[in-house]
Amino acid sequence: RFQACVYFASVFQAMSCGIHYLASVFMAVTPNFVCGFPGNVSSILFHNSSASNIEDIWTLWTSTENYIVVQLEKGEIWELNQCSRSKREVSLDLAYEYEGNKSVFSCSDGFLYDDTKWKSTVVTQWDLVCDREWLAKLIQPTFMLGVLIGAVIFGDIADRLGRQRVIWFTSTGQFVFGIAVAFTFDYYSFVIVRFLLAMVSSGYLVVAFVYVTEFVGIRARTWASMHVHAFFAMGIMVVALAGYLVRTWWVYQIFLSIATLPFVLCCWMLPETPFWLLSEERYEDAQKVINTMARWNKVSTPCKVSELCSVQQDDPVSGRMGDNDTSSTKKHNILDLFCNWQIARRTITVWLIWFTGSLGYYVFSLSSVSLGGNEYLNLFLIGAVELPCYIIACIAMDKLGRRNTLIPFLILSALICVLIMFIPQDFNILIILANMAGKFSIGVAFGLIYLYTAELYPTIVRSLAVGSGSMMCRVGSVVAPFCVYLRSVWIFMPLLLVGIMALLSGILTIMLPETLGKPLTNT
């Protein structure tokens, strides 16, 4: 009972990580837009359609190459493009086509945005279009850079100061910075606060994995650690729901940040893990936590830490002391993952799988809103498809083995990427289903690699291997938004890159050993 309460409280907050990681999908939308005009409009023309206000024109807008012709009350006729405007020298009659002389001007009067779908986004708030478009494209990569740095910093702090304090700080930080984002006064303060939000979100997710693993018994550890991902996916589903209900970016951000407020109010009740307390030789504190667990679980005779330490020679304390003795004689570093050709080949393959898993995960997620149809439903389904994928992964990795599950799902995701390229663009439902299948298959691989990496390496470099793999995962998440932007070069470019990486990873995985049922190596 105690472990269940601690587990579900901890993973509930993991939803907020999924929320903030994908929030920019709707917050940084670029709607249709044209240059503003200098004065009051008397009539508007778009191809063969005329209107008295520009809102009526947006329903007819089909391409960025289109332009709108407006006649001002003082008689001037202007052609409004997306990033420039032209004043016609001869303005006798209002016609769409014009062959005469025109004077080209910049958009000094700002821009006109289509607000039929979104009342306000960060793009419309700070005019992140045309020559400032690159600033909009940096919003997600800078967030993911914060994710990378936060994972490194808070992972180290959790080992030094304890899991409990980091969980308190990062969960509170997510709420505070999440609300603060909504009240930023310009683009640069927005990016800086989002960067800090990314650091604490990533820090929470990393420490939550360790926290629940140290509390949950061995029998349920695989399922428990795997389903932290499932709550992250539920956060993505919340983003889709919030995007559908709220169409003003700062209200949307507040709505998302408040979603996990209940955890912030009760996270101070979470105890420190006995493992960490024992490693710090705080035996009395560890005994208090164990006694609390015994009361909750109705165990009449809780184990005594003093007996545990004196009777068992392979207990957590002596084990960790042994590790410290080893590390004092030889400090292990990243080069130990390349100490010989066999280990080096294993490391390169594992890093590639981490990178590919993260790249594919975020490419499928971030590009889901561009598939056509209802973008809110698309993102919701892309999140929902993860829930069964982790169940399948847990069953398959215990029945078929780690490697025998990883290989087919990596190759399957590559084949799905190729298949999507051959589906006609007007088959929206088929494209969405194929993308869900791609996210499902890459999700299985992404969820499995955490445990597989830990089992592939000996004890002395195991944490280093998982940590470095996680770093490659963060690099993949930083690259993913740029990969999605390559849709402007060729619509299938992101899928092609993910497909190639997944196929290469799947082939190289054949050379990895199977670890199911094998004892963990020590040297």
Side-chain angles (χ1 to χ4, degrees):
R1 188 186 302 170
F2 182 88
Q3 282 89 333
C5 289
V6 167
Y7 177 77
F8 285 109
S10 304
V11 295
F12 176 77
Q13 182 67 2
M15 279 204 304
S16 68
C17 301
I19 286 170
H20 294 306
Y21 276 41
L22 272 293
S24 68
V25 168
F26 296 126
M27 190 162 46
V29 171
T30 302
N32 295 325
F33 67 94
V34 291
C35 258
F37 40 77
N40 297 320
V41 175
S42 62
S43 56
I44 302 172
L45 195 64
F46 182 73
H47 292 293
N48 298 323
S49 303
S50 60
S52 57
N53 59 66
I54 200 160
E55 284 76 17
D56 300 329
I57 297 297
W58 295 125
T59 55
L60 307 171
W61 190 271
T62 55
S63 168
T64 55
E65 303 300 319
N66 291 332
Y67 63 90
I68 296 172
V69 178
V70 297
Q71 186 170 33
L72 305 184
E73 288 179 351
K74 54 189 177 183
E76 295 175 353
I77 297 178
W78 291 77
E79 290 181 11
L80 307 177
N81 294 302
Q82 284 206 316
C83 296
S84 66
R85 56 187 180 172
S86 307
K87 181 183 176 184
R88 293 180 179 178
E89 298 296 336
V90 180
S91 53
L92 295 176
D93 60 329
L94 183 63
Y96 194 72
E97 301 294 338
Y98 175 76
E99 301 296 334
N101 294 329
K102 292 182 281 190
S103 302
V104 180
F105 297 89
S106 63
C107 301
S108 55
D109 290 294
F111 299 87
L112 300 170
Y113 296 98
D114 176 8
D115 62 359
T116 52
K117 190 171 285 186
W118 274 84
K119 299 299 179 188
S120 167
T121 71
V122 293
V123 172
T124 63
Q125 176 115 3
W126 296 306
D127 289 334
L128 306 180
V129 292
C130 299
D131 57 340
R132 284 167 59 84
E133 183 185 10
W134 65 276
L135 292 172
K137 291 187 173 180
L138 278 180
I139 289 173
Q140 189 66 15
T142 51
F143 183 90
M144 289 303 185
L145 185 63
V147 167
L148 190 155
I149 294 170
V152 175
I153 292 173
F154 287 107
D156 182 56
I157 293 173
D159 284 340
R160 295 170 186 270
L161 302 181
R163 287 76 164 106
Q164 183 192 47
R165 290 179 185 175
V166 174
I167 279 180
W168 287 354
F169 178 80
T170 52
S171 55
T172 306
Q174 280 187 86
F175 177 72
V176 172
F177 291 131
I179 297 293
V181 166
F183 294 98
T184 47
F185 51 87
D186 65 2
Y187 169 80
Y188 298 102
S189 62
F190 171 82
V191 168
I192 290 168
V193 177
R194 284 252 309 164
F195 183 84
L196 296 173
L197 175 61
M199 287 180 64
V200 292
S201 295
S202 172
Y204 182 85
L205 200 60
V206 166
V207 176
F209 266 108
V210 176
Y211 188 76
V212 299
T213 302
E214 291 184 350
F215 263 115
V216 175
I218 293 171
R219 185 166 51 89
R221 192 167 291 163
T222 302
W223 283 79
S225 62
M226 187 73 84
H227 280 81
V228 176
H229 293 289
F231 281 85
F232 184 94
M234 288 170 68
I236 297 175
M237 294 158 71
V238 171
V239 169
L241 182 63
Y244 177 74
L245 296 173
V246 186
R247 306 297 175 93
T248 303
W249 79 266
W250 60 272
V251 180
Y252 161 85
Q253 176 64 30
I254 291 172
F255 186 92
L256 291 176
S257 300
I258 289 174
T260 53
L261 180 59
F263 178 81
V264 178
L265 297 176
C266 68
C267 67
W268 58 272
M269 296 168 66
L270 292 177
E272 184 55 82
T273 68
F275 273 107
W276 186 81
L277 292 170
L278 289 171
S279 72
E280 295 293 306
E281 299 183 1
R282 290 168 55 182
Y283 303 122
E284 287 185 13
D285 292 332
Q287 187 65 60
K288 286 177 185 176
V289 176
I290 290 168
N291 291 341
T292 304
M293 291 167 72
R295 278 199 310 274
W296 274 64
N297 297 336
K298 297 183 179 177
V299 175
S300 55
T301 53
C303 67
K304 297 285 188 288
V305 170
S306 55
E307 294 174 9
L308 195 69
C309 294
S310 61
V311 173
Q312 295 186 1
Q313 294 302 311
D314 57 344
D315 67 288
V317 180
S318 63
R320 286 170 189 258
M321 288 170 64
D323 286 348
N324 291 339
D325 293 340
T326 307
S327 62
S328 63
T329 56
K330 182 183 187 305
K331 292 284 186 182
H332 294 283
N333 57 46
I334 200 78
L335 295 177
D336 288 301
L337 301 179
F338 298 88
C339 60
N340 59 51
W341 170 239
Q342 184 184 359
I343 295 292
R345 188 175 61 191
R346 184 175 298 186
T347 300
I348 291 167
T349 302
V350 167
W351 281 7
L352 189 64
I353 298 167
W354 276 94
F355 179 85
T356 304
S358 181
L359 181 71
Y361 184 94
Y362 287 107
V363 165
F364 279 116
S365 297
L366 293 170
S367 60
S368 63
V369 294
S370 308
L371 298 176
N374 188 313
E375 60 263 51
Y376 308 108
L377 181 60
N378 293 353
L379 185 64
F380 186 88
L381 293 174
I382 284 291
V385 77
E386 283 187 61
L387 303 182
C389 103
Y390 297 128
I391 297 172
I392 298 292
C394 284
I395 295 170
M397 65 198 292
D398 286 339
K399 300 290 183 185
L400 303 176
R402 281 67 159 133
R403 186 187 64 176
N404 296 338
T405 302
L406 197 56
I407 293 169
F409 277 104
L410 280 170
I411 293 174
L412 178 62
S413 60
L415 293 175
I416 291 169
C417 288
V418 174
L419 176 66
I420 294 172
M421 297 183 197
F422 291 98
I423 300 174
Q425 287 299 292
D426 52 345
F427 284 50
N428 281 342
I429 295 175
L430 203 56
I431 290 172
I432 292 163
L433 289 173
N435 272 269
M436 287 175 67
K439 176 73 179 294
F440 180 93
S441 53
I442 208 79
V444 171
F446 194 32
L448 190 152
I449 191 60
Y450 282 82
L451 183 63
Y452 193 32
T453 303
E455 293 177 342
L456 280 171
Y457 288 88
T459 304
I460 53 173
V461 290
R462 186 170 295 126
S463 294
L464 192 64
V466 175
S468 64
S470 182
M471 183 72 76
M472 292 306 297
C473 163
R474 312 297 172 201
V475 172
S477 65
V478 173
V479 172
F482 293 110
C483 189
V484 172
Y485 298 146
L486 291 175
R487 283 175 64 92
S488 59
V489 178
W490 183 43
I491 193 169
F492 296 123
M493 184 65 81
L495 289 171
L496 180 66
L497 293 175
V498 171
I500 291 170
M501 297 296 289
L503 183 63
L504 183 61
S505 302
I507 292 170
L508 289 175
T509 305
I510 296 170
M511 293 185 286
L512 294 178
E514 180 54 72
T515 59
L516 177 64
K518 304 283 178 65
L520 294 177
T521 53
N522 288 314
T523 62

